[in-house]
Amino acid sequence: MLDGEQLSHIVSQACRHYQFSKAIRQRAWVEIDHQALAANIRALKDILAPQTALMAVVKADAYGHGAVKVAETVLKAGASWLAIATLGEGVELREAGITAPILVLGATNTTEEIEAIAHWDLQPTLCNLSQVAIFNETLARLGKILPVHLKIDTGMSRLGTRWEEALPFVAAVHQAPHLNIASIYSHFATADDPDPTTMDQQHQRFQSAIAKLEQQGIPIPKRHISNSAATLHSRNLHYDLVRLGLSIYGVYPAPHLSPKVRLKPVLQVKARITQLKTLPPDTGVSYGHRFITATDTKTAVVGIGYADGVPRRLSNNLKVLVNGAFAPQIGAITMDQLMLDVSHLPDVQVGDVVTLIGTDHDQQLTVDQWANQLGTISWEILCGFKHRLPRINL
Ligand SMILES: Cc1ncc(COP(=O)(O)O)c(C=O)c1O
């Protein structure tokens, strides 16, 4: 039996939860469609080579989608590995109770980092010979043996030992008693380019480095080289694992790869209209008066701005959806708010939902459209939606 105090605590918690859950859909928010996410995992698994496992790349808070919830969904849907970039991202997943193997894609070099990796059961990337001694010594002190993934630079020129110098690096790890080679991997620089010449060259370098290691009798349990674009490009690139980021979130890495698999966008960005007002002709709108009304103009103020991740550079160039109809954004986008011209929408009301990214009735607005307008990539747009936008998991 609950006593009066326990009961009132439960009731007050429930009220607070109710108020909060109402509040999170009040100003602006991000919706995450977990059914779409799971469907993307299943669709991608269907096109993988039979021996290939799916590693879901959930770094950068799962490309802005919320790492813990995304990890739970993708693991249930068939992913068997996770990849993150920073130790903090790995700790967040472990603290949430996620037990799947986690590859740390970023570099780690200090004893503190190695101790944290061992403590949290993360699997590090080793990039060069100079890391071998500190890893082995730290793990010897801890009395642990750690699975490690060795990065070979085949042409990205970022992390890793260059492919021609792979043998001494991998041999040193092989001889280190506290390090267990879990995989050899590389990363493509141009997999989204319709011209595969550079990707093919990187692939050949990867194959030749692996062949040399095999000639020396060094066992290589797993190899992997493909991101989303390479995975969609060809099964020959799948090896034992593919590291999929963008595609699991339902966004294609390049238009020419869209026929390869049917993906559903996972993320939508929405906000509410907070005020309506009709302005006379020749009225300046927002900072700098970068928009001047030509005629009587019915404007809507929307509660979302550049501090939420709507790039200010889209000012006067953004279109949104209101009740299934397109409306142009006018004037400078401000920190927390932006304005629309809704003169053509007689029924619009304060409180109506504005879709900035996503689907409203039959119409769709995509991160690709923003990326094209801004001369950037969809990855950057997804990662740009800030934490002050609550994530609503559908
Ligand atoms: C090493 C590595 N592998 C895989 C990925 C996933 O790439 P994508 O999002 O294109 O699938 C990334 C993302 O940046 C990466 O850095």
Side-chain angles (χ1 to χ4, degrees):
M1 275 287 279
L2 295 172
D3 64 25
E5 203 179 321
Q6 284 169 321
L7 201 59
S8 85
H9 177 71
I10 290 169
V11 170
S12 92
Q13 289 283 99
C15 287
R16 237 182 310 159
H17 180 75
Y18 175 69
Q19 280 162 0
F20 180 65
S21 56
K22 267 177 63 182
I24 55 182
R25 266 197 165 95
Q26 261 174 15
R27 184 188 73 98
W29 63 93
V30 166
E31 288 179 8
I32 305 296
D33 182 346
H34 283 259
Q35 283 179 14
L37 180 62
N40 292 339
I41 294 287
R42 289 192 293 269
L44 287 158
K45 275 200 86 177
D46 278 350
I47 62 159
L48 297 186
Q51 79 285 356
T52 306
L54 195 159
M55 174 183 278
V57 180
V58 297
K59 60 182 176 158
D61 200 29
Y63 292 30
H65 293 64
V68 170
K69 293 273 178 231
V70 163
E72 287 168 355
T73 298
V74 297
L75 290 168
K76 251 189 240 149
S80 40
W81 285 76
L82 300 172
I84 42 93
T86 71
L87 294 188
E89 291 169 350
V91 173
E92 185 191 6
L93 296 174
R94 288 287 183 247
E95 281 187 328
I98 286 165
T99 55
I102 300 178
L103 168 61
V104 184
L105 296 169
T108 44
N109 289 304
T110 65
T111 45
E112 291 79 8
E113 287 171 316
I114 300 163
E115 283 164 5
I117 285 169
H119 177 77
W120 292 100
D121 188 23
L122 305 172
Q123 302 194 17
T125 295
L126 262 60
C127 313
N128 61 49
L129 202 52
S130 64
Q131 288 171 295
V132 178
I134 186 164
F135 263 83
N136 194 54
E137 281 158 20
T138 307
L139 291 163
R141 186 164 45 73
L142 296 173
K144 288 194 172 172
I145 296 175
L146 205 65
V148 295
H149 301 257
L150 310 188
K151 186 90 182 264
I152 307 300
D153 175 13
T154 54
M156 172 74 179
S157 304
R158 196 172 61 175
L159 285 182
T161 293
R162 277 172 65 81
W163 77 100
E164 312 104 308
E165 296 148 18
L167 183 56
F169 164 48
V170 178
V173 178
H174 181 52
Q175 279 153 24
H178 290 270
L179 303 180
N180 207 347
I181 299 175
S183 82
I184 306 277
Y185 80 100
S186 192
H187 188 50
F188 286 124
T190 64
D192 51 354
D193 190 332
D195 176 357
T197 312
T198 306
M199 182 168 60
D200 289 344
Q201 185 189 44
Q202 279 196 254
H203 185 210
Q204 278 159 21
R205 291 170 175 175
F206 188 60
Q207 285 175 311
S208 92
I210 298 268
K212 276 198 200 131
L213 298 172
E214 281 171 345
Q215 277 161 19
Q216 297 301 312
I218 298 176
I220 305 165
K222 289 192 192 309
R223 319 128 216 241
H224 45 114
I225 191 165
S226 288
N227 55 4
S228 295
T231 302
L232 298 184
H233 176 73
S234 166
R235 272 191 168 197
N236 289 338
L237 302 170
H238 291 183
Y239 289 93
D240 301 299
L241 268 178
V242 288
R243 306 185 304 269
L244 302 183
L246 195 70
S247 55
I248 69 173
Y249 306 109
V251 181
Y252 292 95
H256 72 282
L257 295 168
S258 64
K260 301 277 188 170
V261 64
R262 224 172 110 64
L263 301 173
K264 299 179 187 169
V266 172
L267 174 143
Q268 302 198 70
V269 180
K270 300 189 176 177
R272 283 192 198 275
I273 292 176
T274 53
Q275 189 180 344
L276 291 164
K277 166 165 52 181
T278 298
L279 301 174
D282 211 24
T283 303
V285 175
S286 193
Y287 293 122
H289 282 181
R290 287 166 59 187
F291 182 90
I292 308 284
T293 55
T295 55
D296 279 341
T297 303
K298 186 172 162 192
T299 62
V301 183
V302 185
I304 191 167
Y306 63 76
D308 299 292
V310 183
R312 188 173 172 279
R313 275 203 298 135
L314 286 177
S315 296
N316 273 328
N317 242 327
L318 175 69
K319 97 190 148 164
V320 302
L321 283 162
V322 188
N323 304 330
F326 288 107
Q329 180 275 324
I330 54 173
I333 293 169
T334 71
M335 190 181 284
D336 323 299
Q337 302 172 82
L338 52 81
M339 273 65 87
L340 308 177
D341 179 348
V342 290
S343 307
H344 57 304
L345 303 174
D347 298 331
V348 78
Q349 307 272 342
V350 167
D352 281 357
V353 173
V354 173
T355 300
L356 292 98
I357 297 288
T359 304
D360 182 2
H361 295 74
D362 296 341
Q363 306 292 350
Q364 206 188 15
L365 291 164
T366 67
V367 285
D368 291 339
Q369 288 163 342
W370 283 24
N372 289 337
Q373 276 178 278
L374 290 163
T376 183
I377 53 174
S378 318
W379 292 257
E380 188 184 7
I381 303 293
L382 285 176
C383 294
F385 295 114
K386 302 292 190 293
H387 275 276
R388 80 171 183 169
L389 292 175
R391 267 44 175 185
I392 299 187
N393 294 295
L394 304 180

